[in-house]
């Protein structure tokens, strides 16, 4: 208890957490271990994890095969530089990634986080056009309410309002933003839905690529849109000769019901970013995949190499985690798991529709979203969730979950029942 208090003072006084103030009034909960779908706090309380630690932990925590594979790899080597050297985990993982991602994505660039994978994608597109003798193509078309990461490059294609672009105006490259598609998932897209992209592509001659999160916009608004939009976007990009980048960092590895969300439309991007669930949540690893058309164009241009190379590129432990996680996923009946999640979330969250403070409930695959009418007060709602034994971290108006794929019916029922009860209680509390 003493020790925990001492450590918690350090946390409060000296550690930044994501999007936090150092002197935040919001408490951070001290986790001491995690197993399956449950987190154990320092005070002994157990929480059902509704977040999969932000999309990542699809097989649950403390997964025996994952642990074993990492222990084995640890004995061979934890790390080795990737410049001039290579290793089995990277080569095996690449073989696996090429097998499961759509053709003709045939070249892989590894990095340590999603944001960097997006920066790498932007640089690839720019270098591609430079090599093709169109160096003026350095800008990107991006969707409003999108989220692509926090580094300056990735941030420049995030929603300009929630991404606070005004504060960084002088250092952020100015991109072209178009309205997010309003055609919903499962519906067709009209001419009007496609008009903003069409207009932007016609108007701007300095576009290197269009970037979007296929089908499900994540941290920018948890919005699910028509797969038809991807088909039409691919057509428009081809007509204008512009590259298409899909950011599958949140949607990849089954979350939306397809292994990759672009498969809802059978559309293949020129460049694809993956991360988050790639290692099953064990280690930080991301990748940017592209076609041989893009890679060979870059290779044949000046300066003849792709200009990026992280210190921890293709870290062997991280590659082993990714390879093991993908094998676990493919060996599991992951479609049935996602189907179970979708059914439980649809049924379990339906009662939220009756609550006066709720604007909308939407579910896609293993993602359940309750959008409230007003932004939630985290100081009130998070302690209510923890008190009730679940871990859910809302943002803005959105209370959402994307549970580990292994979560049982019983735990899913408990998670959704608790969500309904807490949102109802929160509504009463925030009215008084
Ligand atoms: C989380 C996320 C990123 C950024 O990944 P980090 O690993 O946090 O840098 C980029 N794009 C999408 C769609 C994401 O969900």
């Amino acid at each position: 208890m003493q020790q925990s208090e001492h450590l918690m003072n350090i946390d409060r006084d000296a550690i930044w957490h994501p999007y936090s103030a150092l002197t935040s009034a919001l408490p951070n909960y001290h986790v001491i271990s995690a197993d399956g779908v449950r987190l154990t706090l320092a005070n002994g309380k157990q929480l059902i994890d509704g977040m999969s630690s932000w999309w990542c932990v699809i097989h649950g925590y403390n997964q025996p095969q994952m642990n074993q594979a990492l222990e084995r790899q640890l004995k061979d080597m934890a790390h080795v530089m990737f410049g001039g050297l290579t290793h089995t985990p990277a080569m095996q993982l690449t073989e696996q990634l090429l097998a499961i991602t759509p053709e003709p994505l045939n070249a892989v660039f590894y990095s340590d986080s999603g944001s960097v994978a997006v920066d790498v994608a932007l640089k690839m597109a720019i270098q591609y056009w430079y090599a093709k003798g169109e160096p003026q193509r350095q800008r990107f078309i991006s969707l409003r309410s999108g989220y692509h990461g926090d580094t300056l490059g990735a941030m420049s294609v995030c929603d300009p309002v929630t991404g606070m672009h005004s504060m960084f105006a002088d250092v952020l490259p100015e991109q072209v933003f178009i309205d997010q598609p309003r055609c919903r998932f499962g519906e067709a897209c009209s001419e009007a839905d496609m008009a903003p992209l069409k207009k932007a592509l016609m108007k701007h001659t300095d576009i290197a690529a269009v970037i979007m999160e296929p089908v499900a916009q994540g941290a920018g608004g948890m919005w699910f849109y028509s797969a038809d939009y991807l088909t039409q976007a691919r057509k428009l990009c081809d007509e204008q000769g512009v590259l298409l980048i899909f950011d599958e960092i949140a949607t990849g590895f089954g979350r939306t019901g397809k292994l990759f969300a672009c498969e809802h439309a059978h559309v293949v991007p020129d460049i694809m970013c993956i991360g988050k669930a790639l290692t099953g949540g064990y280690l930080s690893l991301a990748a940017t995949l592209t076609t041989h058309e893009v890679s060979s164009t870059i290779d044949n241009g000046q300066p003849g190499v792709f200009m990026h190379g992280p210190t921890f590129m293709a870290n062997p432990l991280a590659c082993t985690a990714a390879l093991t996680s993908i094998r676990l996923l493919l060996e599991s009946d992951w479609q049935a798991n996602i189907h179970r999640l979708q059914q439980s979330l649809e049924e379990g969250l339906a009662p939220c529709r009756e609550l006066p403070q709720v604007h909308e409930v939407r579910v896609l695959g293993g993602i359940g979203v309750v959008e409230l009418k007003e932004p939630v007060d985290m100081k009130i709602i998070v302690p209510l969730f923890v008190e009730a034994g679940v871990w859910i971290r809302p943002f803005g108006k959105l209370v959402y979950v994307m549970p580990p794929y292994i979560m049982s019916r019983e735990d899913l029922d408990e998670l959704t029942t608790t969500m309904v009860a807490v949102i109802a209680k929160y509504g009463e509390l925030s009215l008084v």
Side-chain angles (χ1 to χ4, degrees), residues 82 85-99 101 106-114 116-118 120-121 124 253 272-275 278-279 284-290 306 308-316 318-320 322-323 326:
F82 212 51
L85 300 175
T86 192
H87 49 78
T88 309
M91 293 185 276
Q92 287 183 334
L93 173 60
T94 303
E95 182 179 33
Q96 181 67 268
L97 285 175
L98 296 190
T101 52
N106 281 315
V108 186
F109 188 101
Y110 292 106
S111 56
D112 358 80
S113 77
V116 176
V118 170
V120 165
M124 262 179 199
F253 303 100
M272 181 164 112
C273 303
I274 54 174
L278 171 60
T279 64
S284 185
L285 183 73
T288 309
L289 288 87
T290 192
F306 179 56
H308 207 97
T311 305
F312 282 95
M313 189 171 191
N315 169 264
C319 287
T320 300
L323 183 61
I326 294 170

Side-chain angles (χ1 to χ4, degrees), residues 141-143 178-179 181 183 189-191 193-199 201 207 209-215 225-246 262 265-270:
I141 295 176
S142 183
L143 307 184
I178 55 172
D179 286 341
C183 39
C189 270
S190 67
E191 292 246 327
D193 290 316
M194 300 312 303
L197 178 58
K198 196 168 182 178
K199 232 168 82 186
L201 279 168
I207 301 301
V210 178
I211 181 167
M212 64 188 72
E213 298 152 275
V215 165
Y225 65 89
S226 168
D228 191 27
Y229 187 86
L230 307 180
T231 311
Q232 308 283 344
R234 176 77 267 184
K235 227 170 86 195
L236 290 172
C237 284
D238 288 345
E239 280 165 18
Q240 298 300 317
V242 163
L243 296 178
L244 180 59
I245 303 171
F246 282 167
C262 61
H266 309 288
V267 164
V268 186
D270 301 287

Side-chain angles (χ1 to χ4, degrees), residues 44-114:
K45 195 168 178 67
Q46 291 210 327
L47 307 179
I48 296 180
D49 177 22
M51 308 301 289
S52 299
S53 280
W54 277 335
W55 313 86
C56 299
V57 185
I58 54 178
H59 310 298
Y61 300 88
N62 197 22
Q63 210 287 338
Q65 284 112 305
M66 291 289 294
N67 292 1
Q68 224 174 51
L70 283 167
E71 278 163 22
R72 263 201 311 268
Q73 179 56 39
L74 202 47
K75 294 201 176 87
D76 289 342
M77 67 187 139
H79 182 62
V80 68
M81 66 184 278
F82 212 51
L85 300 175
T86 192
H87 49 78
T88 309
M91 293 185 276
Q92 287 183 334
L93 173 60
T94 303
E95 182 179 33
Q96 181 67 268
L97 285 175
L98 296 190
I100 62 171
T101 52
E103 279 293 314
L105 296 171
N106 281 315
V108 186
F109 188 101
Y110 292 106
S111 56
D112 358 80
S113 77

Side-chain angles (χ1 to χ4, degrees), residues 55 113-116 118 147-150 213 219 247 249-250 276:
W55 313 86
S113 77
S115 302
V116 176
V118 170
Y147 178 77
H148 297 286
D150 290 348
E213 298 152 275
D247 178 350
I249 291 165
K276 288 206 162 98

Side-chain angles (χ1 to χ4, degrees), residues 3 28 34 59 70 80 98-99 151 219 254 273 291 325 349 383 394 397 407 412 428:
Q3 166 78 345
N28 293 306
H59 310 298
L70 283 167
V80 68
L98 296 190
T151 52
C273 303
T291 62
S325 174
L349 296 179
K397 298 174 184 172
M407 193 176 281
L412 281 165
E428 289 159 21

